[in-house]
Amino acid sequence: MSTPSLLTLHAAVSGGGSLLAATLELDYPNKPGALRGVSFDIEAGEIVGLIGESGSGKSSVAMCLMRLLRARGTRLRGSIRFDGRDLLASSEREMRRIRGRDIGLVLQSPLASLNPMLRVGAQMAEAWRAHRSTSNEQMRGEIARAMEMVSLPSTDEFLRRYPRQLSVGLAQRVLIAMAILHRPKLLIADEPTSALDVITSAEILKLFARLNRELGMAILFISHDLLSVAALCHRVAIMKSGELVECAPAARIFAAPAHPYTRELVAALPRMPGAPDQLPVSSTNLSTAIEKMAGLP
Amino acid sequence: MLRWSAVAALLAILAAGLFANWIAPHGYADQDRESPNLSPSRQYPLGTDELGRDRFSRLLYGTRVSLLLAPAAAAISIAVAVALGGFTAYAGAGWARASSLVTDLMLSLPTILILLTVRAMLPLNVSALASIVITCVLIGALNYPPAARVIGAGVDALLKSDFILQARATGQSPGRILIRQLMPGIRPVLIAQFWLLVPVFVMAEANLSLLGLGVSEPMPSWGNLLRELENYSAIPERPWVLAPLGVLMVTVLCLYAILPSGEPA
Amino acid sequence: MALRFLAKHAVRLVLTVLIAGLLGAALVRIAPAFGVSEQELDPRLSREFVQGQRPEPVGILRYYGQFLYGVAHGDFGESPSLQRPIGELLRERLPVSLENLAFGAGAGIVLGFLCAMVAVVFRSPLARAVPVASSTVLLSLPSAALGLLFLLAGWPPAMALTAVVFPRVYRYSAAVLARSADASHVLAARARGVSPGRILCVHVLPGAAPQLLAIVGMAISLGFPALVPIEAVCDSPGVMQLALKAAMARDLPLLVVLTMVASVVVLIGNAAADISSDVLRRES
Amino acid sequence: MSIRRLFPLLALAVVLCAAAATVGGPPGTGGELRFAVRAEPKTLDPHVVVDEPSQVVAYLTGGGLVRENRLTQELEPALATHWRVLEGGAAIEFTLRQGVRFSDGAPFTAEDVAFTIRRVADPALHSPLAETLRSGSGAIRAEVKSPTVVVVRVPNRIANLAGMFDGIAMVSSKSKTNPPAGLGPFVIAEYKPASHLLLRRNANYWKKDAAGRPLPYLDSIRLDILANRELEMMRFRKGEIHLLNGLEAESFDRFAKETPGAVRDLGPSLDSEQIWFNQVPTAPIPAYKREWFRNVEFRRAISAAINRADLCRLVYRGHASPADGPVSPGNHAWINTKLKPAAYAPQAARERLAKAGFRMQGATLVDSGGRPVEFSLVTNAGSKIRERTAALIQQDLAKIGIKLNVVPMDFPSLIERIMRTYQYEACMLGQIADPDPNEMMNVWRSSAANHQWNPNQKKPETTWEAELDRLMDEQASAVDPKKRKAAYDRVQEIAADQLPFIYLVHKNALVGVSPSLWNTKPAVLRPQTFWNVDTLAFNAPRGR
């Protein structure tokens, strides 16, 4: 798939005042063309799913948007416009202000993403102080509110725990609480459910939906799980080996997958035994089915 | 890219040493007694030493000695370390403690005295080649402890790994596991150690020769040539005496550093 | 638990030092030219005179027993080659070597750590290129040559040790810190906009601390032997210069003591590495 | 005017100033003289010194009854105003200088001399000085004749008896310190091991200069303990130390270019470099090799094949002279002037070898049994001079088809091989000689340990060794200097003819003396630069 057609796709989909509009070209020193002309946008308050097999470059997209690429010799080109600003032209200092305050990030392995040597409370406080200098009471109030929002107890006992004393699900909630502490306009979740068991994963999906609803937060939801994405997202983008092959509202992806790869993905979805061979064509059907499965209201 | 140019440069230098017989304009022991202490000229590209020997030719021959000696010593050192590390990893905790004790002791004993002892026991009429081989075996065998630690740790980690467990689960004999599973597994560690040790032994030979106990005269080696440092106040006046050797040493050792990873780190 | 751990290490240390001393004694005893004195070449002195100068040879075990008895009573014996009490020699020279080691290796460690931290925090090419280039060049020079060069420049011998220790510390610690900085909790902290200084101090360094401690241990056990050529060429009156002299003179009592001193230093270096790896194991 | 042209003028000016200053007294008194010793002095007791640094300290702090003028090589009165050798060399009577006081203020009397002699002769002290006085067994006795006259008796007759007292520092019988107070120009003020030794002027020193001023002129001497030669030279260049003893040719030439006034080539020293073959009958070497080494024609051929002129020119940069025997041209009294220097004659060497049954097989020399001639030469490791010498000899011998393997080894191992196990074939070492042949007794006598090529013989194995024994005994007991000289001349002739030692070179005595010093008179005899330390001074006043 070549860049021009994607650009047209982009132009067709994006409105005038989107929250984020990005076109990404990324080369790793040992893997040139990790991202080739990946172009998409996110409206304020919208949940966009990013789907692809491992190695297709989905996580690189998250790192690019946050400008967190560490490896030497990595080259990032293109443009990232976020909330009226050009992130690629921003200095590291400006980026630091944006990270965590305007864009939140939730990573895939919750326990590894918490510093094992710091208590939960300390890490929360650090996340708060990174952008605000307020009184301790105010901070505690804010932290309690964020924790409440992700259904965590904000007791002292809990705040004094070390990450190793948390379950994976709790850890993920702590990470989300930290990510939404400053009410960012955009939350990037990089495979937030892949390390979780089915039930916890469903709870977290519900949580994302609620955050989107209650806080009006846009979410870029990166996953390799088509079903959870379909349940949650307004729009879905499909990636394959560094390219964006399709980007469409969730319903259309299932109803009329345009790209052969998308069709392959959809066809590979598991089916309940005894279910009709034909895939449910109506997207609403599917969404309700999935919503029921995930226990969403 | 960097890696291949490093390989090419190193091979070129090694070739220059290996084919010194053809490249060098003079023999390493040839004395032109009428022209000692010359400055560089067309006939003597790097001048001559006190005995009228061509410095350039001696540098080439010295490169050969040092570049062959150091890898050989590194190989010996690794062989000792593997034998010790592999054995103790297999033989259990008691032996492991014993071997780490031996290693600690090796590190604390005055190495210089061990060197003197072994050298003093050698027969007198040994050829230059034999003296090089002996030097190499000696410094190789004496400097095994650092390699032994790393390799021991590597073997240890491997023994705890899943695929060895898998191999045990399938009922393979320990010997077979050692040869078919452990050796290939430990190979990257060995190779990394080898590259790490080669420069160490280039240094060791140099340090030994600075004491006058390395490769014996008139055979040149980098260490022997470095002995010009003893008259160091004369160096600034006659930069051609040591500068080429210094540049060559730093170049070769930097190339060695680049080789294993493909980047200078 | 911790007490038992320490006790185990202490017992091990004492045992190793004792064996090292005995082995050192045996080594000198079997080394060629034990009991030879340069005076034998002096034509003015008769054979009887020279032989009279030499102490009676005793069996190694018996000697070692007497020596240990002496040490228990605070007497290290007398060095035959220097004709002075060994305790006095150690009192004069050990501080010099420890000072060289502390300042030289200390500066090397600090410099290596600093460069590694700078390279991890500011990932600019310059912040890496300078220490990488300098450490590669320093690694390519024998320590004796470094000592001579520093002597020529009129710098103290401790700085030559810095030049020996720095590149190795830098290499290892840069690798350790880079690995620690790659941990996903560090990435997460960066994604929350935490400042680089706080990331280094709170998130990167604590994770790498045990391994950095091991590097300090390595630097000590690496710097100590490197002091031999440095002290020898720089004429720095430390114990390592003494050790070289003692080896050349086959000075049995002195070498036994110095071997023990060396083993203590080596073991302390190892213990630092061991303890930190134990800590590491308990963490995981 | 270029700097190069200016140098001779400056040098001339310096010389003229120095000459002008010598006429009157010293231009200034006081100041601290500094120079380096290579190692720590092993002892501060002047009676048990064997190592060089201790000798330096003993020389500076000790006063003897007589003193050898290192320049004229003649004995001068010191604490004894005059002396008389009695009983053909078995006793000597000293008349002591009066009014002399020890550094602690006690008066110096004949009692102190007797005490000193008793102390030196005491077997418990283990003094090497007693060795020189006691050739053979028997007691050394001192008799006090009067407060100013003392007679010293030795068990055997010694030819140069008075000279022996140059090195014996007189100590006070009343002193409580150990070592006891002495009579030298300086006293030890501070000793910081591994760093330096500080000597202070002895206010009670007996000597006065021509104008009646008390000596020494200098306030103090600082001896830095410094093993590194290059460091020593760097500090000399900076003016931090004032004297350099035993410079090497390379450094000498460099200094000569930089600061011509600061270094001096004093001509041939008494030291020699030599190689010798192992002729010990029981030595663990192949029998056929021992046959070669014991064959005088073989030794003569080797000697003729070595190009000594090249050695002097290349290794010593011209600061050495080819050696033809044990006695250096610098030893005016004892050299046998009739001996011709050994000539470089490879052709003659080949002829000699052919006569002895060796023949060429291609480019290799083989002996009568067809074995290729190859042997090893041991020498001490770390000496650049010896390694270069060996490299040159290696090539010289290659020209006559002999393969020489050079084996450097550390000094103790070398000594063990040449003194005890005899596991060597040939050895190269140097000899530090004193002028008097008495010091060489243990070298030339076949029963001695230092008879290197074949030591500790029960009775002389060859007629020429028997003759050496006889000649050495003769010179040792003869009182008549002429007879001694004749005997020792013959020793030198035998040595040159039989070549038990193949002497290579006598290197020149090269020293450095700071131009800031006045009245320096460096001599080839040790201590070369500071033998007249009591009359040394600085050119500019240094303030007390």
Side-chain angles (χ1 to χ4, degrees):
Chain A
M1 178 74 54
S2 59
T3 318
S5 65
L6 272 176
L7 283 177
T8 37
L9 178 74
H10 168 241
V13 178
S14 73
S18 54
L19 178 65
L20 174 91
T23 303
L24 305 170
E25 294 268 348
L26 178 68
D27 294 318
Y28 288 121
N30 53 359
K31 190 186 173 191
L35 295 179
R36 281 169 291 164
V38 172
S39 218
F40 60 93
D41 55 18
I42 299 172
E43 305 285 334
E46 186 188 25
I47 308 183
V48 174
L50 189 57
I51 294 277
E53 59 193 4
S54 45
S56 61
K58 352 184 255 301
S59 291
S60 297
V61 170
M63 294 299 114
C64 288
L65 294 180
M66 298 289 273
R67 296 259 319 269
L68 280 175
L69 293 154
R70 297 193 54 109
R72 267 174 305 131
T74 309
R75 274 197 330 163
L76 170 62
R77 283 158 302 149
S79 76
I80 306 172
R81 291 205 64 78
F82 173 77
D83 204 14
R85 257 185 290 187
D86 183 1
L87 296 193
L88 275 188
S90 302
S91 68
E92 178 63 25
R93 182 180 282 266
E94 286 162 353
M95 275 316 294
R96 203 154 29 111
R97 268 191 224 121
I98 291 170
R99 289 182 201 136
R101 200 182 63 181
D102 298 328
I103 308 180
L105 177 70
V106 177
L107 290 170
Q108 60 174 322
S109 44
L111 280 174
S113 303
L114 286 170
N115 188 335
M117 267 156 280
L118 289 182
R119 297 172 198 277
V120 170
Q123 303 204 35
M124 289 295 250
E126 181 189 73
W128 177 256
R129 290 218 181 87
H131 298 290
R132 303 277 167 87
S133 44
T134 56
S135 67
N136 281 351
E137 287 93 79
Q138 201 178 342
M139 177 182 80
R140 258 180 243 132
E142 289 290 336
I143 289 176
R145 205 165 310 150
M147 293 182 78
E148 198 182 320
M149 208 168 284
V150 298
S151 316
L152 280 177
S154 61
T155 57
D156 266 3
E157 187 276 326
F158 187 79
L159 287 175
R160 291 177 62 80
R161 281 198 206 173
Y162 281 100
R164 60 172 181 272
Q165 295 164 311
L166 300 180
S167 70
V168 192
L170 283 181
Q172 189 62 291
R173 280 169 198 271
V174 169
L175 280 175
I176 295 172
M178 279 196 266
I180 62 165
L181 199 53
H182 297 288
R183 308 285 153 83
K185 297 191 179 78
L186 173 66
L187 181 68
I188 301 174
D190 186 4
E191 307 212 23
T193 56
S194 64
L196 306 179
D197 62 83
V198 185
I199 295 174
T200 323
S201 146
E203 281 170 15
I204 296 288
L205 281 181
K206 250 192 287 183
L207 174 59
F208 275 116
R210 207 178 79 216
L211 290 174
N212 171 254
R213 228 177 20 245
E214 290 177 7
L215 301 176
M217 198 183 278
I219 298 176
L220 176 62
F221 189 87
I222 300 171
S223 177
H224 58 257
D225 179 9
L226 193 55
L227 282 181
S228 52
V229 168
L232 185 65
C233 302
H234 305 127
R235 267 190 310 142
V236 177
I238 313 268
M239 276 194 80
K240 183 176 192 288
S241 21
E243 291 184 23
L244 203 62
V245 294
E246 191 165 357
C247 183
R252 203 160 82 212
I253 289 285
F254 289 94
H259 195 269
Y261 179 68
T262 320
R263 279 200 288 275
E264 225 177 290
L265 273 180
V266 173
L269 280 175
R271 240 150 278 159
M272 303 291 267
D277 255 15
Q278 187 68 27
L279 205 84
V281 279
S282 145
S283 64
T284 40
N285 276 356
L286 181 80
S287 331
T288 33
I290 294 167
E291 274 167 17
K292 270 183 194 141
M293 206 172 87
L296 286 173
Chain B
M1 189 54 217
L2 186 62
R3 184 171 191 168
W4 288 116
S5 34
V7 169
L10 203 56
L11 281 180
I13 293 172
L14 190 63
L18 279 181
F19 301 115
N21 297 27
W22 289 280
I23 300 172
H26 307 269
Y28 61 83
D30 291 356
Q31 299 167 358
D32 180 353
R33 296 191 181 178
E34 295 318 308
S35 37
N37 297 312
L38 288 189
S39 311
S41 65
R42 184 166 297 188
Q43 194 189 358
Y44 300 109
L46 293 176
T48 56
D49 67 5
E50 308 73 16
L51 303 182
R53 299 181 293 200
D54 179 34
R55 286 189 192 276
F56 177 66
S57 307
R58 285 179 69 73
L59 185 58
L60 283 181
Y61 281 99
T63 303
R64 167 162 73 184
V65 170
S66 289
L67 284 191
L68 291 182
L69 187 139
I76 290 170
S77 202
I78 285 175
V80 174
V82 165
L84 214 69
F87 167 71
T88 50
Y90 249 93
W95 284 105
R97 229 168 284 143
S99 98
S100 99
L101 177 72
V102 170
T103 306
D104 285 350
L105 291 175
M106 275 302 282
L107 283 171
S108 0
L109 286 179
T111 321
I112 181 82
L113 204 59
I114 304 178
L115 272 172
L116 289 177
T117 308
V118 180
R119 277 192 73 94
M121 289 172 180
L122 296 178
L124 290 169
N125 285 304
V126 291
S127 65
L129 184 69
S131 96
I132 293 172
V133 170
I134 289 159
T135 310
C136 143
V137 170
L138 262 183
I139 60 177
L142 285 181
N143 288 296
Y144 82 90
R149 281 183 182 275
V150 177
I151 290 170
V155 171
D156 222 39
L158 265 184
L159 282 179
K160 286 183 189 130
S161 73
D162 288 346
F163 72 90
I164 297 284
L165 194 68
Q166 184 71 45
R168 280 195 180 148
T170 57
Q172 290 186 29
S173 71
R176 206 180 147 74
I177 291 178
L178 183 71
I179 293 166
R180 300 302 300 269
Q181 311 281 348
L182 213 51
M183 277 307 164
I186 199 77
R187 206 165 56 196
V189 180
L190 297 189
I191 292 171
Q193 274 299 303
F194 180 77
W195 288 113
L196 223 70
L197 281 176
V198 166
V200 171
F201 285 117
V202 171
M203 299 290 128
E205 189 274 331
N207 275 331
L208 200 62
S209 293
L210 276 175
L211 288 171
L213 295 168
V215 176
S216 65
E217 284 271 337
M219 183 68 88
S221 74
W222 284 357
N224 280 343
L225 297 173
L226 259 187
R227 292 188 64 191
E228 296 281 353
L229 268 177
E230 282 167 22
N231 293 59
Y232 52 79
S233 36
I235 296 169
E237 292 166 36
R238 303 160 61 82
W240 63 85
V241 170
L242 273 174
L245 173 62
V247 170
L248 193 62
M249 269 182 93
V250 171
T251 312
V252 166
L253 294 183
C254 290
L255 290 179
Y256 264 112
I258 289 171
L259 267 189
S261 63
E263 54 178 90
Chain C
M1 184 64 201
L3 209 65
R4 225 184 106 198
F5 180 73
L6 281 180
K8 206 179 83 190
H9 268 274
V11 167
R12 205 189 125 120
L13 190 127
V14 169
L15 262 177
T16 315
V17 169
L18 285 181
I19 299 175
L22 184 61
L23 274 185
L27 184 63
V28 187
R29 193 68 188 74
I30 61 161
F34 172 72
V36 164
S37 114
E38 278 187 32
Q39 293 167 23
E40 289 179 40
L41 278 185
D42 192 335
R44 290 168 307 175
L45 305 173
S46 73
R47 219 172 317 153
E48 294 74 25
F49 175 80
V50 174
Q51 276 162 9
Q53 288 277 65
R54 237 188 357 252
E56 286 294 306
V58 276
I60 274 300
L61 285 175
R62 200 164 143 226
Y63 164 77
Y64 200 57
Q66 288 169 356
F67 166 76
L68 288 182
Y69 181 82
V71 169
H73 291 74
D75 173 24
F76 286 94
E78 179 161 313
S79 149
S81 73
L82 291 170
Q83 302 183 353
R84 307 212 15 231
I86 292 170
E88 210 177 294
L89 286 169
L90 283 185
R91 250 195 314 286
E92 284 159 13
R93 287 166 174 265
L94 203 52
V96 177
S97 282
L98 290 181
E99 210 171 282
N100 282 341
L101 193 64
F103 285 107
I109 292 168
V110 169
L111 200 64
F113 281 178
L114 277 183
C115 284
M117 286 177 201
V118 166
V120 166
V121 175
F122 307 99
R123 269 150 311 130
S124 76
L126 192 70
R128 280 181 45 82
V130 172
V132 164
S134 59
S135 70
T136 309
V137 169
L138 287 177
L139 278 176
S140 323
L141 292 171
S143 40
L146 277 175
L148 277 176
L149 288 178
F150 278 68
L151 191 65
L152 186 63
W155 294 335
M159 279 182 72
L161 189 63
T162 306
V164 171
V165 170
F166 157 72
R168 290 162 176 92
V169 169
Y170 168 72
R171 283 187 172 213
Y172 287 114
S173 55
V176 164
L177 287 182
R179 206 181 311 140
S180 177
D182 273 348
S184 53
H185 71 81
V186 179
L187 187 67
R190 278 161 49 82
R192 290 194 288 272
V194 177
S195 69
R198 196 172 155 84
I199 292 211
L200 182 70
C201 297
V202 178
H203 296 277
V204 176
L205 284 184
Q211 288 165 73
L212 292 183
L213 196 64
I215 291 175
V216 171
M218 178 213 71
I220 291 172
S221 46
L222 179 137
F224 200 60
L227 269 180
V228 177
I230 291 174
E231 287 190 352
V233 298
C234 294
D235 247 336
S236 177
V239 275
M240 296 318 257
Q241 189 201 32
L242 194 64
L244 196 63
K245 278 186 191 165
M248 289 303 186
R250 312 290 192 273
D251 190 325
L252 178 68
L254 187 52
L255 267 176
V256 169
V257 175
L258 290 178
T259 307
M260 291 171 119
V261 170
S263 69
V264 170
V265 174
V266 166
L267 287 172
I268 287 175
N270 280 354
D274 282 357
I275 290 171
S276 57
S277 76
D278 269 25
V279 169
L280 208 65
R281 215 172 296 143
R282 232 173 286 164
E283 284 284 328
S284 58
Chain D
M1 189 181 277
S2 72
I3 296 287
R4 199 170 278 277
R5 283 237 202 96
L6 226 116
F7 260 133
L9 282 183
L10 277 176
L12 190 67
V14 168
V15 170
L16 283 177
C17 288
T22 322
V23 177
T29 56
E32 181 172 85
L33 178 71
R34 286 188 226 114
F35 59 96
V37 288
R38 302 279 142 66
E40 299 202 31
K42 285 185 181 170
T43 175
L44 299 179
D45 185 333
H47 294 156
V48 294
V49 298
V50 275
D51 57 311
E52 206 188 321
S54 305
Q55 274 168 6
V56 169
V57 177
Y59 187 87
L60 295 171
T61 57
L65 293 170
V66 298
R67 184 168 80 167
E68 181 176 5
N69 183 319
R70 300 321 202 242
L71 213 53
T72 59
Q73 301 185 6
E74 276 170 21
L75 279 188
E76 288 173 351
L79 292 168
T81 48
H82 50 269
W83 58 91
R84 214 150 46 93
V85 176
L86 311 168
E87 300 164 28
I92 185 165
E93 183 192 87
F94 290 103
T95 308
L96 304 184
R97 195 175 294 276
Q98 287 179 310
V100 176
R101 285 179 180 279
F102 281 99
S103 58
D104 63 358
F108 168 64
T109 65
E111 271 309 324
D112 297 307
V113 178
F115 171 77
T116 301
I117 297 300
R118 276 202 304 277
R119 188 171 189 267
V120 166
D122 181 1
L125 185 71
H126 219 82
S127 166
L129 294 172
E131 285 289 300
T132 57
L133 291 177
R134 188 200 295 128
S135 56
S137 57
I140 306 164
R141 287 191 310 273
E143 296 159 25
V144 178
K145 298 283 178 195
S146 79
T148 55
V149 178
V150 64
V151 173
V152 180
R153 271 175 218 290
V154 293
N156 294 73
R157 292 201 289 181
I158 296 176
N160 180 28
L161 185 55
M164 298 294 166
F165 288 83
D166 176 44
I168 302 178
M170 292 297 131
V171 295
S172 163
S173 58
K174 294 165 207 75
S175 182
K176 299 280 186 296
T177 55
N178 189 28
L183 294 157
F186 292 90
V187 292
I188 295 165
E190 179 192 85
Y191 176 30
K192 193 150 180 293
S195 163
H196 66 268
L197 191 72
L198 199 64
L199 306 179
R200 192 169 26 81
R201 180 175 186 276
N202 173 9
N204 290 334
Y205 188 56
W206 58 274
K207 217 169 173 179
K208 308 256 184 296
D209 70 359
R213 273 172 299 196
L215 292 175
Y217 297 128
L218 298 167
D219 268 344
S220 56
I221 298 181
R222 187 185 153 104
L223 300 177
D224 283 316
I225 296 158
L226 200 61
N228 189 319
R229 303 302 309 270
E230 286 285 313
L231 212 55
E232 186 183 354
M233 280 185 285
M234 247 159 70
R235 297 182 60 181
F236 179 75
R237 191 175 279 120
K238 284 192 221 156
E240 290 171 0
I241 58 176
H242 305 112
L243 300 173
L244 290 174
N245 292 296
L247 261 175
E248 283 192 357
E250 211 171 323
S251 328
F252 180 89
D253 280 0
R254 215 161 52 242
F255 274 120
K257 241 190 289 165
E258 278 172 26
T259 43
V263 287
R264 298 187 209 169
D265 183 342
L266 309 175
S269 70
L270 305 197
D271 308 347
S272 56
E273 289 284 319
Q274 66 253 38
I275 60 177
W276 72 87
F277 291 102
N278 180 357
Q279 299 188 43
V280 179
T282 55
I285 57 172
Y288 65 90
K289 285 196 176 178
R290 192 178 310 121
E291 283 308 307
W292 307 339
F293 301 155
R294 290 173 78 104
N295 185 337
V296 66
E297 288 302 325
F298 178 80
R299 298 198 296 270
R300 284 174 186 156
I302 298 287
S303 177
I306 295 173
N307 189 340
R308 292 175 173 79
D310 275 359
L311 282 181
C312 296
R313 190 167 54 86
L314 295 172
V315 180
Y316 297 90
R317 296 176 172 236
H319 300 291
S321 45
D324 44 350
V327 182
S328 148
N331 188 351
H332 312 305
W334 292 98
I335 177 127
N336 181 346
T337 45
K338 287 200 289 283
L339 284 176
K340 291 269 173 301
Y344 172 56
Q347 193 48 43
R350 280 188 205 102
E351 282 159 18
R352 279 185 191 283
L353 287 169
K355 210 165 74 184
F358 294 88
R359 62 197 150 81
M360 291 301 283
Q361 202 172 68
T364 312
L365 186 75
V366 295
D367 68 2
S368 51
R371 287 168 292 245
V373 180
E374 172 183 355
F375 60 86
S376 60
L377 179 73
V378 294
T379 189
N380 59 316
S383 157
K384 231 170 165 182
I385 293 281
R386 296 218 170 105
E387 272 165 28
R388 285 180 195 159
T389 306
L392 281 180
I393 295 176
Q394 200 171 39
Q395 210 178 46
D396 283 339
L397 294 186
K399 282 187 199 139
I400 58 167
I402 296 176
K403 182 161 182 255
L404 178 71
N405 298 310
V406 181
V407 186
M409 54 177 67
D410 73 302
F411 227 123
S413 302
L414 179 71
I415 295 174
E416 186 178 49
R417 277 176 190 260
I418 63 177
M419 300 298 291
R420 300 196 184 168
T421 62
Y422 310 123
Q423 281 175 338
Y424 73 102
E425 292 169 355
C427 176
M428 170 163 61
L429 275 183
Q431 189 155 42
I432 294 174
D434 276 312
D436 197 278
N438 262 352
E439 310 272 345
M440 298 289 279
M441 286 296 277
N442 279 336
V443 174
W444 296 118
R445 286 180 51 94
S446 59
S447 59
N450 295 98
H451 193 71
Q452 302 291 7
W453 65 92
N454 188 5
N456 307 328
Q457 297 174 32
K458 295 265 180 322
K459 65 182 196 353
E461 284 180 24
T462 60
T463 47
W464 56 269
E465 281 175 293
E467 194 183 352
L468 280 180
D469 284 356
R470 189 178 56 72
L471 289 166
M472 285 312 284
D473 285 344
E474 193 176 306
Q475 73 78 26
S477 52
V479 182
D480 181 6
K482 281 212 191 79
K483 262 170 125 178
R484 292 187 69 202
K485 174 82 166 82
Y488 201 54
D489 276 354
R490 180 71 192 126
V491 169
Q492 293 173 53
E493 279 160 25
I494 294 173
D497 183 48
Q498 295 293 333
L499 293 166
F501 289 123
I502 298 174
Y503 286 93
L504 302 171
V505 299
H506 296 292
K507 61 180 177 205
N508 289 4
L510 307 177
V511 298
V513 178
S514 164
S516 66
L517 281 173
W518 176 82
N519 196 27
T520 50
K521 294 173 182 166
V524 295
L525 299 190
R526 286 182 176 77
Q528 294 167 335
T529 48
F530 56 92
W531 68 273
N532 57 336
V533 65
D534 45 5
T535 56
L536 285 182
F538 282 102
N539 279 323
R542 298 242 156 179
R544 277 255 150 106

